Amino acid sequence: MIKKPELLAPAGNLEKMKMAILYGADAVYLGGKAFGLRAFGGNFSREELKEAVTFAHERNRKVYVTVNIFPHNGDLTGLPDYLKYLAQINVDALLVADLGVFMMCRELIPEMELHISTQANNTNWATVNAWKKLGAKRVVLAREMSLAEVREIREKCDVDLEMFMHGAMCISYSGRCLLSNYFTGRDSNRGSCAQSCRWKYALVEETRPGQYFPIEEDERGTYIMNSKDMCLMPNIRDVIESGVDSLKIEGRMKSVHYAASVVKAYRLAIDAYFADPEHFTVKQEWLDELEKVSHRTYTTGFYYHQPTAEDQIYGKTSYDQTSEFVGLVRSYDAATGWAVVEQRNNMKLGQEIEVFQPTGPLYRQTITAMENEDGEAIEVAPHPQMILRMKMEQPVEPYTILRRDVTSVKQ
Protein backbone atom coordinates (compact mmCIF):
# COMPACT_ATOMS: atom_id res chain seq x y z
CA MET A 1 0.00 0.00 0.00
CA ILE A 2 1.31 3.45 -0.92
CA LYS A 3 2.09 5.72 1.99
CA LYS A 4 0.54 9.17 1.83
CA PRO A 5 3.42 11.57 1.19
CA GLU A 6 4.09 14.68 3.20
CA LEU A 7 3.28 17.99 1.48
CA LEU A 8 6.27 20.25 2.15
CA ALA A 9 6.01 23.99 1.53
CA PRO A 10 8.49 26.89 1.41
CA ALA A 11 8.35 29.72 3.94
CA GLY A 12 10.37 32.87 3.30
CA ASN A 13 9.01 34.69 6.35
CA LEU A 14 6.60 34.19 9.23
CA GLU A 15 3.49 35.28 7.32
CA LYS A 16 4.23 32.93 4.41
CA MET A 17 4.89 30.15 6.89
CA LYS A 18 1.51 30.60 8.56
CA MET A 19 -0.27 30.76 5.20
CA ALA A 20 1.37 27.55 4.00
CA ILE A 21 0.30 25.73 7.17
CA LEU A 22 -3.26 27.10 7.12
CA TYR A 23 -3.73 26.25 3.44
CA GLY A 24 -2.72 22.62 3.91
CA ALA A 25 1.03 22.00 4.20
CA ASP A 26 2.11 19.12 6.44
CA ALA A 27 5.50 20.72 6.98
CA VAL A 28 7.44 23.84 6.02
CA TYR A 29 11.11 24.47 5.35
CA LEU A 30 12.64 27.83 6.20
CA GLY A 31 15.91 29.52 7.00
CA GLY A 32 17.38 31.62 9.75
CA LYS A 33 19.33 34.80 9.14
CA ALA A 34 22.48 32.81 8.35
CA PHE A 35 23.72 29.41 7.13
CA GLY A 36 20.93 28.91 4.54
CA LEU A 37 20.82 29.33 0.75
CA ARG A 38 18.29 32.17 0.52
CA ALA A 39 20.00 35.21 2.01
CA PHE A 40 17.45 37.56 0.39
CA GLY A 41 14.31 35.58 1.16
CA GLY A 42 13.33 37.46 4.32
CA ASN A 43 14.21 34.59 6.64
CA PHE A 44 13.65 34.25 10.38
CA SER A 45 15.18 35.82 13.46
CA ARG A 46 15.69 33.56 16.45
CA GLU A 47 12.47 34.82 18.01
CA GLU A 48 10.58 34.20 14.75
CA LEU A 49 12.01 30.69 14.47
CA LYS A 50 10.65 29.92 17.92
CA GLU A 51 7.24 31.39 17.03
CA ALA A 52 7.17 29.38 13.81
CA VAL A 53 7.85 26.12 15.64
CA THR A 54 5.16 26.89 18.21
CA PHE A 55 2.60 27.78 15.50
CA ALA A 56 3.32 24.59 13.55
CA HIS A 57 3.41 22.24 16.52
CA GLU A 58 0.10 23.59 17.84
CA ARG A 59 -1.39 22.39 14.55
CA ASN A 60 0.53 19.09 14.45
CA ARG A 61 2.75 20.28 11.61
CA LYS A 62 6.55 20.23 11.26
CA VAL A 63 9.32 22.78 10.72
CA TYR A 64 12.58 22.01 8.93
CA VAL A 65 15.38 24.59 9.02
CA THR A 66 17.91 24.98 6.21
CA VAL A 67 21.59 24.93 7.21
CA ASN A 68 22.66 24.00 3.69
CA ILE A 69 25.35 26.47 2.67
CA PHE A 70 28.76 25.25 1.57
CA PRO A 71 30.68 27.13 4.25
CA HIS A 72 34.17 28.57 4.14
CA ASN A 73 36.13 28.68 7.39
CA GLY A 74 34.76 32.06 8.37
CA ASP A 75 31.19 30.88 7.88
CA LEU A 76 31.56 28.37 10.70
CA THR A 77 31.78 31.11 13.33
CA GLY A 78 28.64 31.00 15.39
CA LEU A 79 27.37 27.78 13.84
CA PRO A 80 27.69 25.57 16.96
CA ASP A 81 25.67 28.03 19.05
CA TYR A 82 23.03 28.29 16.30
CA LEU A 83 22.68 24.51 16.03
CA LYS A 84 22.18 24.19 19.77
CA TYR A 85 19.51 26.90 19.67
CA LEU A 86 17.60 25.07 16.92
CA ALA A 87 17.62 21.92 19.03
CA GLN A 88 16.51 23.91 22.07
CA ILE A 89 13.38 25.26 20.34
CA ASN A 90 12.48 21.76 19.09
CA VAL A 91 12.91 22.20 15.34
CA ASP A 92 11.86 18.92 13.69
CA ALA A 93 14.82 18.54 11.32
CA LEU A 94 17.73 20.36 9.68
CA LEU A 95 18.56 20.38 5.97
CA VAL A 96 22.32 20.16 5.38
CA ALA A 97 24.53 19.72 2.31
CA ASP A 98 28.10 19.96 3.59
CA LEU A 99 29.71 16.91 5.21
CA GLY A 100 31.47 19.02 7.84
CA VAL A 101 28.22 20.68 8.89
CA PHE A 102 26.55 17.26 8.94
CA MET A 103 29.19 15.84 11.30
CA MET A 104 29.05 18.95 13.50
CA CYS A 105 25.30 18.39 13.86
CA ARG A 106 25.84 14.72 14.72
CA GLU A 107 28.33 15.66 17.43
CA LEU A 108 26.59 18.68 18.96
CA ILE A 109 22.90 17.77 18.62
CA PRO A 110 22.88 13.99 18.09
CA GLU A 111 19.12 13.63 18.57
CA MET A 112 18.32 16.08 15.75
CA GLU A 113 16.84 14.60 12.58
CA LEU A 114 19.02 15.44 9.57
CA HIS A 115 17.89 15.75 5.97
CA ILE A 116 20.40 15.90 3.11
CA SER A 117 19.75 18.88 0.86
CA THR A 118 19.40 18.66 -2.92
CA GLN A 119 22.58 20.77 -3.01
CA ALA A 120 24.50 17.59 -2.17
CA ASN A 121 23.74 16.22 -5.67
CA ASN A 122 21.90 13.08 -4.60
CA THR A 123 21.40 11.34 -7.94
CA ASN A 124 21.88 7.62 -7.24
CA TRP A 125 21.02 4.91 -4.74
CA ALA A 126 24.64 4.41 -3.58
CA THR A 127 24.88 8.03 -2.44
CA VAL A 128 21.49 7.85 -0.74
CA ASN A 129 22.47 4.70 1.16
CA ALA A 130 25.81 6.24 2.14
CA TRP A 131 24.05 9.20 3.75
CA LYS A 132 21.76 6.82 5.60
CA LYS A 133 24.75 4.91 7.01
CA LEU A 134 26.15 8.21 8.27
CA GLY A 135 22.91 8.86 10.13
CA ALA A 136 20.67 10.85 7.78
CA LYS A 137 16.93 10.36 8.23
CA ARG A 138 15.99 11.74 4.82
CA VAL A 139 17.64 12.51 1.47
CA VAL A 140 16.34 15.17 -0.91
CA LEU A 141 16.74 13.93 -4.47
CA ALA A 142 18.36 16.10 -7.12
CA ARG A 143 16.06 17.75 -9.64
CA GLU A 144 18.10 16.25 -12.50
CA MET A 145 16.45 12.85 -12.07
CA SER A 146 13.88 10.94 -14.08
CA LEU A 147 10.85 9.10 -12.74
CA ALA A 148 12.57 5.80 -13.54
CA GLU A 149 15.63 6.79 -11.50
CA VAL A 150 13.48 7.86 -8.57
CA ARG A 151 11.67 4.53 -8.62
CA GLU A 152 14.96 2.59 -8.67
CA ILE A 153 16.28 4.55 -5.69
CA ARG A 154 13.03 3.86 -3.84
CA GLU A 155 13.44 0.13 -4.47
CA LYS A 156 17.06 0.03 -3.27
CA CYS A 157 16.99 2.46 -0.33
CA ASP A 158 15.27 2.19 3.05
CA VAL A 159 15.40 5.86 3.97
CA ASP A 160 12.96 8.75 3.64
CA LEU A 161 13.06 10.32 0.18
CA GLU A 162 12.03 13.85 -0.70
CA MET A 163 11.65 15.34 -4.18
CA PHE A 164 10.73 18.65 -5.77
CA MET A 165 7.44 18.65 -7.68
CA HIS A 166 6.79 22.34 -8.28
CA GLY A 167 8.69 25.61 -8.66
CA ALA A 168 11.66 27.26 -10.31
CA MET A 169 14.29 25.16 -12.07
CA CYS A 170 17.95 26.10 -11.73
CA ILE A 171 20.22 26.19 -14.79
CA SER A 172 23.11 24.79 -12.75
CA TYR A 173 23.52 21.28 -11.45
CA SER A 174 21.38 20.92 -8.31
CA GLY A 175 21.71 24.65 -7.76
CA ARG A 176 25.50 24.61 -7.47
CA CYS A 177 26.08 27.71 -9.57
CA LEU A 178 29.22 29.82 -10.05
CA LEU A 179 27.76 32.45 -12.40
CA SER A 180 26.49 34.67 -9.60
CA ASN A 181 29.87 34.67 -7.85
CA TYR A 182 31.70 35.41 -11.10
CA PHE A 183 29.50 38.31 -12.20
CA THR A 184 28.60 39.94 -8.89
CA GLY A 185 30.72 38.44 -6.13
CA ARG A 186 27.55 37.04 -4.55
CA ASP A 187 28.11 33.35 -3.81
CA SER A 188 25.01 31.30 -4.55
CA ASN A 189 26.51 28.39 -2.64
CA ARG A 190 26.53 30.55 0.48
CA GLY A 191 23.02 31.95 0.06
CA SER A 192 23.48 35.06 -2.10
CA CYS A 193 22.42 34.05 -5.63
CA ALA A 194 21.89 37.02 -8.00
CA GLN A 195 19.93 34.82 -10.48
CA SER A 196 22.41 35.54 -13.28
CA CYS A 197 20.79 32.78 -15.36
CA ARG A 198 17.70 34.99 -15.79
CA TRP A 199 19.61 37.92 -17.36
CA LYS A 200 19.53 38.88 -21.03
CA TYR A 201 22.75 38.03 -22.86
CA ALA A 202 24.41 39.02 -26.14
CA LEU A 203 27.63 37.98 -27.88
CA VAL A 204 30.85 40.08 -27.83
CA GLU A 205 33.84 39.31 -30.09
CA GLU A 206 37.14 39.91 -28.23
CA THR A 207 38.66 42.31 -30.79
CA ARG A 208 35.50 44.44 -30.88
CA PRO A 209 34.73 45.25 -27.24
CA GLY A 210 31.53 47.19 -26.71
CA GLN A 211 29.85 45.78 -29.81
CA TYR A 212 27.02 43.48 -28.81
CA PHE A 213 25.60 40.96 -31.25
CA PRO A 214 22.30 39.14 -30.69
CA ILE A 215 22.55 35.40 -30.24
CA GLU A 216 19.29 34.96 -32.12
CA GLU A 217 17.51 37.08 -34.68
CA ASP A 218 15.17 38.81 -32.30
CA GLU A 219 15.26 42.47 -31.36
CA ARG A 220 14.36 41.60 -27.78
CA GLY A 221 17.60 39.72 -27.15
CA THR A 222 17.78 36.25 -25.67
CA TYR A 223 17.64 34.68 -22.23
CA ILE A 224 19.76 31.64 -23.00
CA MET A 225 19.68 30.09 -19.51
CA ASN A 226 16.12 30.98 -18.45
CA SER A 227 14.38 27.72 -17.58
CA LYS A 228 10.66 27.16 -17.38
CA ASP A 229 9.20 26.33 -13.96
CA MET A 230 8.57 22.76 -12.85
CA CYS A 231 4.97 21.62 -12.45
CA LEU A 232 4.11 17.96 -11.91
CA MET A 233 0.43 18.47 -11.08
CA PRO A 234 -0.74 16.88 -14.37
CA ASN A 235 1.37 13.83 -13.45
CA ILE A 236 0.66 13.76 -9.72
CA ARG A 237 -0.40 10.10 -9.87
CA ASP A 238 3.06 9.08 -11.10
CA VAL A 239 4.68 11.27 -8.45
CA ILE A 240 2.69 9.75 -5.60
CA GLU A 241 3.11 6.17 -6.87
CA SER A 242 6.89 6.60 -7.15
CA GLY A 243 6.92 6.02 -3.39
CA VAL A 244 8.70 9.17 -2.20
CA ASP A 245 7.93 10.24 1.35
CA SER A 246 7.81 14.02 0.90
CA LEU A 247 6.70 16.17 -2.04
CA LYS A 248 8.39 19.56 -2.04
CA ILE A 249 7.34 22.93 -3.42
CA GLU A 250 10.10 25.40 -4.31
CA GLY A 251 9.73 29.09 -3.55
CA ARG A 252 10.94 30.65 -0.30
CA MET A 253 11.31 33.97 -2.14
CA LYS A 254 7.83 33.76 -3.69
CA SER A 255 4.74 35.63 -2.46
CA VAL A 256 2.11 34.93 0.19
CA HIS A 257 -0.33 34.33 -2.65
CA TYR A 258 2.02 31.72 -4.14
CA ALA A 259 2.44 29.94 -0.79
CA ALA A 260 -1.30 29.65 -0.24
CA SER A 261 -2.45 28.84 -3.78
CA VAL A 262 0.16 26.25 -4.73
CA VAL A 263 -0.10 24.47 -1.38
CA LYS A 264 -3.89 24.25 -1.51
CA ALA A 265 -3.93 22.97 -5.10
CA TYR A 266 -1.55 20.12 -4.27
CA ARG A 267 -3.31 19.46 -0.94
CA LEU A 268 -6.60 18.90 -2.76
CA ALA A 269 -4.93 16.71 -5.39
CA ILE A 270 -3.08 14.49 -2.92
CA ASP A 271 -6.14 14.07 -0.71
CA ALA A 272 -8.34 13.26 -3.71
CA TYR A 273 -5.93 10.55 -4.87
CA PHE A 274 -5.96 8.79 -1.51
CA ALA A 275 -9.73 9.12 -1.20
CA ASP A 276 -10.19 7.10 -4.41
CA PRO A 277 -6.95 6.05 -6.18
CA GLU A 278 -8.71 3.90 -8.78
CA HIS A 279 -10.87 6.71 -10.15
CA PHE A 280 -8.53 9.62 -9.51
CA THR A 281 -8.16 12.26 -12.23
CA VAL A 282 -6.48 15.67 -12.14
CA LYS A 283 -9.12 18.39 -11.99
CA GLN A 284 -8.93 21.42 -14.23
CA GLU A 285 -9.60 23.69 -11.24
CA TRP A 286 -6.29 22.60 -9.66
CA LEU A 287 -4.40 23.38 -12.85
CA ASP A 288 -6.19 26.74 -13.09
CA GLU A 289 -5.15 27.55 -9.52
CA LEU A 290 -1.49 27.10 -10.43
CA GLU A 291 -1.92 29.56 -13.31
CA LYS A 292 -3.22 32.25 -10.96
CA VAL A 293 0.10 32.78 -9.18
CA SER A 294 3.20 34.42 -10.64
CA HIS A 295 5.17 31.79 -12.55
CA ARG A 296 7.09 31.03 -15.71
CA THR A 297 5.62 28.65 -18.28
CA TYR A 298 5.51 25.16 -16.83
CA THR A 299 7.59 22.08 -17.68
CA THR A 300 8.08 18.60 -16.22
CA GLY A 301 11.84 19.20 -16.04
CA PHE A 302 13.89 15.98 -16.07
CA TYR A 303 11.03 13.78 -14.85
CA TYR A 304 10.15 12.19 -18.21
CA HIS A 305 12.95 13.25 -20.57
CA GLN A 306 16.15 15.23 -20.84
CA PRO A 307 15.18 18.92 -21.11
CA THR A 308 15.39 20.45 -24.57
CA ALA A 309 14.91 23.93 -26.01
CA GLU A 310 11.21 23.48 -25.31
CA ASP A 311 11.95 23.63 -21.60
CA GLN A 312 13.64 27.05 -21.83
CA ILE A 313 12.21 30.56 -22.25
CA TYR A 314 14.50 32.35 -24.69
CA GLY A 315 12.43 35.42 -25.51
CA LYS A 316 11.56 37.02 -22.16
CA THR A 317 12.27 37.02 -18.44
CA SER A 318 8.81 38.12 -17.27
CA TYR A 319 6.31 36.02 -15.36
CA ASP A 320 2.69 35.10 -16.10
CA GLN A 321 -0.28 34.98 -13.78
CA THR A 322 -4.05 35.18 -14.12
CA SER A 323 -4.89 36.61 -10.69
CA GLU A 324 -3.63 39.47 -8.55
CA PHE A 325 -3.60 39.46 -4.74
CA VAL A 326 -5.51 42.54 -3.51
CA GLY A 327 -6.41 41.90 0.12
CA LEU A 328 -6.01 39.61 3.12
CA VAL A 329 -8.91 39.02 5.51
CA ARG A 330 -7.92 39.58 9.14
CA SER A 331 -11.29 38.90 10.77
CA TYR A 332 -15.00 38.54 9.99
CA ASP A 333 -18.12 39.60 11.90
CA ALA A 334 -20.88 37.10 11.14
CA ALA A 335 -23.51 39.35 12.72
CA THR A 336 -22.89 42.24 10.29
CA GLY A 337 -21.30 40.49 7.30
CA TRP A 338 -18.30 42.85 7.33
CA ALA A 339 -14.68 41.69 7.19
CA VAL A 340 -11.56 43.50 8.33
CA VAL A 341 -9.15 43.44 5.38
CA GLU A 342 -5.50 44.39 4.95
CA GLN A 343 -5.02 45.92 1.50
CA ARG A 344 -2.29 44.36 -0.67
CA ASN A 345 -3.09 46.06 -3.98
CA ASN A 346 -5.31 48.88 -5.22
CA MET A 347 -9.00 47.93 -5.19
CA LYS A 348 -12.22 49.87 -5.59
CA LEU A 349 -15.99 49.61 -5.57
CA GLY A 350 -17.52 47.76 -8.50
CA GLN A 351 -14.58 45.40 -9.03
CA GLU A 352 -15.24 41.68 -9.05
CA ILE A 353 -13.00 39.73 -6.69
CA GLU A 354 -12.42 36.05 -5.97
CA VAL A 355 -12.55 34.93 -2.35
CA PHE A 356 -9.94 32.20 -1.80
CA GLN A 357 -10.15 30.60 1.66
CA PRO A 358 -7.90 28.21 3.60
CA THR A 359 -10.67 25.60 3.98
CA GLY A 360 -13.93 27.27 2.91
CA PRO A 361 -15.45 27.40 -0.58
CA LEU A 362 -14.09 29.54 -3.38
CA TYR A 363 -16.55 32.18 -4.55
CA ARG A 364 -16.77 35.48 -6.43
CA GLN A 365 -18.41 38.73 -5.48
CA THR A 366 -18.45 42.39 -6.43
CA ILE A 367 -17.04 44.93 -3.98
CA THR A 368 -20.16 46.87 -2.98
CA ALA A 369 -19.10 48.66 0.21
CA MET A 370 -15.84 49.59 1.96
CA GLU A 371 -15.01 51.70 5.02
CA ASN A 372 -11.73 53.06 6.38
CA GLU A 373 -10.64 52.58 10.00
CA ASP A 374 -12.71 55.61 11.05
CA GLY A 375 -15.89 54.04 9.69
CA GLU A 376 -16.08 56.42 6.72
CA ALA A 377 -17.32 55.06 3.38
CA ILE A 378 -14.59 54.88 0.73
CA GLU A 379 -14.69 54.10 -2.98
CA VAL A 380 -11.06 53.02 -3.39
CA ALA A 381 -8.35 51.48 -1.18
CA PRO A 382 -5.10 52.86 -2.63
CA HIS A 383 -2.68 52.77 0.28
CA PRO A 384 -0.37 49.74 0.72
CA GLN A 385 -1.43 47.54 3.65
CA MET A 386 -4.12 49.97 4.81
CA ILE A 387 -6.72 48.41 7.11
CA LEU A 388 -10.32 48.65 5.93
CA ARG A 389 -13.70 47.00 6.34
CA MET A 390 -15.45 45.30 3.41
CA LYS A 391 -18.98 43.98 3.04
CA MET A 392 -18.92 40.27 2.22
CA GLU A 393 -21.67 38.29 0.51
CA GLN A 394 -20.78 35.06 2.31
CA PRO A 395 -18.88 34.21 5.52
CA VAL A 396 -15.08 34.21 5.24
CA GLU A 397 -12.26 32.80 7.35
CA PRO A 398 -9.26 34.71 8.70
CA TYR A 399 -6.29 34.54 6.30
CA THR A 400 -8.63 34.42 3.29
CA ILE A 401 -7.03 35.88 0.15
CA LEU A 402 -8.99 38.34 -1.97
CA ARG A 403 -7.83 38.52 -5.58
CA ARG A 404 -8.93 39.84 -8.96
CA ASP A 405 -8.40 38.57 -12.49
CA VAL A 406 -5.54 39.87 -14.61
CA THR A 407 -4.02 38.67 -17.87
CA SER A 408 -0.29 38.84 -17.08
CA VAL A 409 2.23 40.76 -15.03
CA LYS A 410 5.91 41.52 -15.57
CA GLN A 411 8.27 41.41 -12.62
Side-chain angles (χ1 to χ4, degrees), residues 178-214:
L178 298 177
L179 284 175
S180 176
N181 203 345
Y182 178 79
F183 284 124
T184 70
R186 286 163 46 176
D187 191 345
S188 57
N189 299 311
R190 295 158 81 185
S192 301
C193 180
Q195 293 207 330
S196 304
C197 56
R198 309 296 180 187
W199 298 353
K200 181 167 68 174
Y201 290 88
L203 187 67
V204 178
E205 199 275 323
E206 66 176 350
T207 65
R208 288 180 279 182
Q211 295 186 42
Y212 300 94
F213 301 93

Side-chain angles (χ1 to χ4, degrees), residues 14-309:
L14 194 57
E15 183 182 40
K16 296 174 188 177
M17 177 266 175
K18 291 180 179 179
M19 294 293 280
I21 293 291
L22 293 170
Y23 278 79
D26 297 308
V28 293
Y29 64 100
L30 49 87
K33 295 294 185 181
F35 309 113
L37 280 177
R38 288 293 180 270
F40 307 106
N43 296 321
F44 291 67
S45 66
R46 288 197 174 198
E47 294 73 21
E48 289 171 332
L49 284 169
K50 186 174 182 180
E51 183 178 347
V53 172
T54 299
F55 185 90
H57 287 180
E58 287 175 348
R59 292 158 180 79
N60 198 30
R61 305 294 201 276
K62 294 182 177 182
V63 174
Y64 308 143
V65 175
T66 59
V67 191
N68 58 345
I69 65 167
F70 288 100
H72 291 232
N73 292 332
D75 296 317
L76 297 177
T77 302
L79 180 56
D81 178 66
Y82 180 61
L83 296 177
K84 292 175 183 177
Y85 177 75
L86 295 177
Q88 178 187 329
I89 63 173
N90 296 315
V91 164
D92 295 284
L94 305 185
L95 280 125
V96 301
D98 179 78
L99 182 58
V101 174
F102 179 89
M103 297 310 296
M104 189 179 291
C105 292
R106 295 281 289 156
E107 293 166 7
L108 295 175
I109 47 173
E111 300 304 315
M112 177 63 69
E113 185 172 305
L114 299 179
H115 298 176
I116 307 305
S117 170
T118 187
Q119 297 294 123
N121 305 104
N122 307 302
T123 58
N124 63 79
W125 57 263
T127 296
V128 172
N129 280 330
W131 280 115
K132 182 195 175 183
K133 289 178 181 178
L134 288 172
K137 176 66 167 59
R138 177 183 294 182
V139 177
V140 186
L141 300 177
R143 271 171 273 202
E144 297 83 8
M145 299 187 64
S146 67
L147 170 61
E149 290 175 312
V150 172
R151 287 173 171 167
E152 183 177 1
I153 290 175
R154 178 70 291 166
E155 291 172 0
K156 295 183 177 181
C157 300
D158 183 21
V159 65
D160 282 1
L161 298 177
E162 178 180 307
M163 63 166 277
F164 283 93
M165 65 171 175
H166 191 95
M169 296 284 287
C170 185
I171 196 67
S172 296
Y173 202 78
S174 290
R176 298 182 70 166
C177 177
L178 298 177
L179 284 175
S180 176
N181 203 345
Y182 178 79
F183 284 124
T184 70
R186 286 163 46 176
D187 191 345
S188 57
N189 299 311
R190 295 158 81 185
S192 301
C193 180
Q195 293 207 330
S196 304
C197 56
R198 309 296 180 187
W199 298 353
K200 181 167 68 174
Y201 290 88
L203 187 67
V204 178
E205 199 275 323
E206 66 176 350
T207 65
R208 288 180 279 182
Q211 295 186 42
Y212 300 94
F213 301 93
I215 301 175
E216 64 177 353
E217 293 183 5
D218 189 326
E219 68 279 2
R220 295 172 298 176
T222 182
Y223 301 83
I224 58 174
M225 295 177 283
N226 191 30
S227 173
K228 293 180 179 179
D229 284 355
M230 172 186 281
C231 176
L232 294 181
M233 174 65 85
N235 315 98
I236 193 67
R237 175 186 288 276
D238 284 350
V239 174
I240 292 171
E241 294 179 355
S242 70
V244 295
D245 300 274
S246 181
L247 302 180
K248 188 171 193 171
I249 299 167
E250 182 276 339
R252 277 191 283 156
M253 297 180 69
K254 300 290 181 63
S255 68
V256 168
H257 184 201
Y258 176 95
S261 297
V262 176
V263 164
K264 187 167 184 180
Y266 281 100
R267 175 78 282 151
L268 292 172
I270 293 169
D271 289 350
Y273 172 88
F274 282 91
D276 188 2
E278 184 178 352
H279 301 99
F280 172 80
T281 57
V282 175
K283 294 184 178 180
Q284 186 61 44
E285 64 196 64
W286 305 334
L287 299 171
D288 291 343
E289 188 61 44
L290 299 178
E291 294 292 335
K292 293 176 182 180
V293 298
S294 180
H295 67 284
R296 302 176 187 91
T297 306
Y298 289 129
T299 174
T300 57
F302 292 78
Y303 208 58
Y304 293 102
H305 60 82
Q306 286 291 312
T308 67

Side-chain angles (χ1 to χ4, degrees), residues 374-395:
D374 297 323
E376 300 167 334
I378 57 175
E379 294 186 359
V380 62
H383 306 301
Q385 294 189 291
M386 69 179 289
I387 302 299
L388 58 106
R389 295 175 70 242
M390 180 185 294
K391 188 69 173 178
M392 306 302 298
E393 294 180 0
Q394 299 180 33

